[in-house]
Amino acid sequence: MAVLVIADHDNASLKDSTNKTITAALALSGDVDVLVAGKDAKAAADAAAKVAGVRKVLLAESDELGQGLAEAVEATVVPLMGGYDAVLTPATSQGKNFSPRIAAKLDVAQISEIVEVVSNDTFVRPIYAGNALETVQSSDGKKVITVRATAFKAAGEGGSASVETVPAGAVSAKVKFVDQQLVKSARPELAGAKIVVSGGRAMGSAEEFQKVIEPLADKLGAAVGASRAAVDAGYAPNDYQVGQTGKVVAPELYIAVGISGAIQHLAGMKDSKVIVAINKDGDAPIFQVADFGLVADYKTAVPELMDALTAAGK
Amino acid sequence: MKVLVPVKRVIDSNVKARVKSDQSGVDLANVKMSINPFCEIAVEEAVRLKEKGTASEVVVVSIGPAQAQETLRQALAMGADRAVLIQTDQDLEPLEVAKVLKAAIAEENPNVVIMGKQAIDGDNNATGQMLAAILDWPQATFASAIELSADTAKVTREVDGGLQTIEVGLPAIITADLRLNEPRYASLPNIMKAKKKPLDVKEAASLGVDLKPHLKVLKVAEPAKRSAGIKVETAGDLVANLKTAGVL
């Protein structure tokens, strides 16, 4: 059985979610190849070749792949699937965009967001916002799988695979990239960060969110997250949303500030190692999952926390 | 322009799902069911297009048990014109839902399909993309803004790292993300009016689509519970505890 992993990358480097997906793939088979589909993505392909356990790296490049168009990725991958029994993709918004297309073109089910490989054909995946874990057995000849990266350890370095070029798939003229507005940040990436500081609706404004959450995050070298309520209200960009339909994170430390803890938010962070909740409402559901709860108004608690961190040498 | 909106009946988003003790699934008996929140956003968007004069007709389609008629009536009360229930008691997988929708689309010939990006029960986030693939229509997923013209749609999408804008030729599949709009509450007069709007029912089995599942559910288990920890009195105590826990 040979398995293809579709890399998550920014052309220059590989995202951590790719290394984690490679670990999931290695649980299925010893023959794991990685496809790097992008534009000027040789550096990312070289990085993939160094990951331990990778047999071969395939590099496909075109403008449309660089723009991340789902049709382009699908048209690149489907012709390769003659040589593979499974294809695994990190369940990022990009992966979720193209992976179901690959499944449909192969006329097989997609097994979405697996958190465990039980055997070659059996997987565990969260449903109902993570309130249930479903074990499913696939009867399809080829498996199309998206992987919840936070559930797997990252494969390390130590490989020396070859890099081979494969043709980029063509896209119909009916889809055109117009532009993108990406949030630039020097902070660690939310999905892979060791510490995450998230703010909720209690912030009351974008200015307050920036004034309270961001300095605390920067003091801890943390990524910034937000609840859906904060994003909906425009206090934080959509990319910050942690939850059932936003990003799923599992850092060492998750600090929730002014977040009540709706089911949908908990779905995105309850696998964090240590959870801290700061909320003035002592009955907020977030305290039911928090290891350490501080019942206090964030307006006084966060500055005090900043001072306590300084005193502790942070 | 005709807009088709598929809608799904799911557990209400404010209800916490409970796993059955025999691990055969999630207990939905006597649980409040509603229109899937993302489908609701899609219906709202279609109705707004009609109110702006861009759309001429909004047709909502649901695939599910007889009770899904309530879900369709909910969409009709929001302002959709007509509903179709493709009835089945089988819990279909996304690929089969896409195939059934393809059959419905062949009959209805919409110019655009707007649907939720994800159902909050299966959490697959797959049906729209699969439908686009099997129809060979362009897709614009995770939409936070839609600008429709006669033959194209300019769609702003929520992606990793921010926003992306793409333009797709119609007909196309657009899937709705949370920020696309805030759905209205149906007014009582509109709920009454919705009872008289046309709702056709047909059997899923009559469409000639292979509905066989690809995945066998072996068990549905409850995830490991997280227990509440301790309350600390001050920020200083918090930092001390975090140091002891080894996360600072």
Side-chain angles (χ1 to χ4, degrees), chain B residues 217-230:
Chain B
V217 178
L218 301 183
K219 72 168 179 184
V220 175
E222 212 170 319
K225 272 219 176 66
R226 240 196 131 95
S227 45
I230 56 164

Side-chain angles (χ1 to χ4, degrees), chain B residues 161-183:
Chain B
L163 299 170
Q164 179 195 58
T165 305
I166 61 170
E167 194 176 274
V168 293
L170 300 183
I173 308 291
I174 301 175
T175 75
D177 215 317
L178 289 171
R179 255 73 62 183
L180 184 57
N181 59 52
E182 218 172 290

Side-chain angles (χ1 to χ4, degrees), chain A residues 249-311:
Chain A
V249 300
E252 297 278 301
L253 174 60
Y254 187 91
I255 303 180
V257 182
I259 291 179
S260 63
I263 301 169
Q264 292 78 8
H265 185 75
L266 300 183
M269 45 65 83
K270 69 183 167 61
D271 292 326
S272 305
K273 190 170 156 215
V274 171
I275 296 173
V276 170
I278 300 173
N279 199 306
K280 66 178 174 189
D281 174 9
D283 296 325
I286 189 83
F287 287 116
Q288 292 164 17
V289 299
D291 299 284
F292 303 110
L294 180 56
V295 183
D297 190 333
Y298 76 86
K299 284 185 176 143
T300 50
V302 172
E304 282 169 18
L305 179 55
M306 296 281 280
D307 290 344
L309 287 167
T310 307

Side-chain angles (χ1 to χ4, degrees), chain B residues 30-104:
Chain B
N30 305 315
V31 167
K32 187 181 177 208
M33 303 292 280
S34 296
I35 184 170
N36 177 47
F38 290 93
C39 303
E40 193 178 17
I41 294 170
V43 172
E44 175 67 30
E45 193 67 15
V47 171
R48 287 186 192 188
L49 287 170
K50 185 162 181 211
E51 289 166 346
K52 276 197 295 188
T54 314
S56 51
E57 189 184 23
V58 176
V59 181
V60 286
V61 178
S62 193
I63 303 164
Q67 296 94 314
Q69 290 195 26
E70 295 161 20
T71 314
L72 288 167
R73 292 284 174 207
Q74 215 176 325
L76 292 171
M78 288 173 70
D81 298 296
R82 194 156 64 72
V84 180
L85 172 62
I86 302 174
Q87 197 167 318
T88 173
D89 286 329
Q90 197 184 327
D91 192 13
L92 299 182
E93 293 172 11
L95 182 61
E96 283 56 51
V97 172
K99 288 177 178 176
V100 171
L101 287 174
K102 184 185 175 185

Side-chain angles (χ1 to χ4, degrees), chain A residues 74-142:
Chain A
E74 170 240 298
T76 303
V77 174
V78 170
L80 297 171
M81 286 308 293
Y84 298 97
D85 305 293
V87 54
L88 276 71
T89 304
T92 58
S93 72
Q94 163 73 347
K96 289 174 186 173
N97 191 31
F98 66 73
S99 182
R101 294 186 60 91
I102 297 170
K105 290 284 184 186
L106 296 172
D107 199 28
V108 301
Q110 170 173 285
I111 308 158
S112 305
E113 296 220 26
I114 64 162
V115 294
E116 190 188 333
V117 176
V118 177
S119 73
N120 273 351
D121 63 2
T122 304
F123 309 90
V124 180
R125 54 178 301 266
I127 53 174
Y128 290 88
N131 286 309
L133 292 171
E134 177 184 64
T135 304
V136 291
Q137 183 174 34
S138 164
S139 58
D140 287 321
K142 292 189 192 295

Side-chain angles (χ1 to χ4, degrees), chain A residues 91 96 113 125-132 148 226-228 240-249 254 262-270, chain B residues 10-15 17 36-38 117-125 177-179:
Chain A
K96 289 174 186 173
E113 296 220 26
R125 54 178 301 266
I127 53 174
Y128 290 88
N131 286 309
R148 178 167 290 187
S227 68
R228 177 191 167 182
Y240 285 15
Q241 187 183 324
V242 171
Q244 181 182 17
T245 67
K247 291 207 163 62
V248 175
V249 300
Y254 187 91
I263 301 169
Q264 292 78 8
H265 185 75
L266 300 183
M269 45 65 83
K270 69 183 167 61
Chain B
V10 297
I11 189 168
D12 187 89
S13 62
N14 294 312
V15 176
N36 177 47
F38 290 93
K117 74 162 183 179
Q118 174 170 349
I120 61 163
D121 49 3
D123 278 338
N124 280 293
N125 190 338
D177 215 317
L178 289 171
R179 255 73 62 183

Side-chain angles (χ1 to χ4, degrees), chain A residues 8-61:
Chain A
D8 177 24
H9 64 92
D10 61 5
N11 294 314
S13 62
L14 218 52
K15 299 271 176 74
D16 180 56
S17 56
T18 305
N19 300 60
K20 291 172 172 168
T21 302
I22 290 169
T23 299
L26 287 167
L28 276 173
S29 164
D31 296 327
V32 174
D33 294 352
V34 176
L35 170 70
V36 175
K39 169 86 176 166
D40 301 326
K42 183 72 173 42
D46 289 341
K50 292 200 186 80
V51 178
V54 174
R55 183 178 69 171
K56 189 166 69 178
V57 175
L58 310 177
L59 174 62
E61 296 181 288

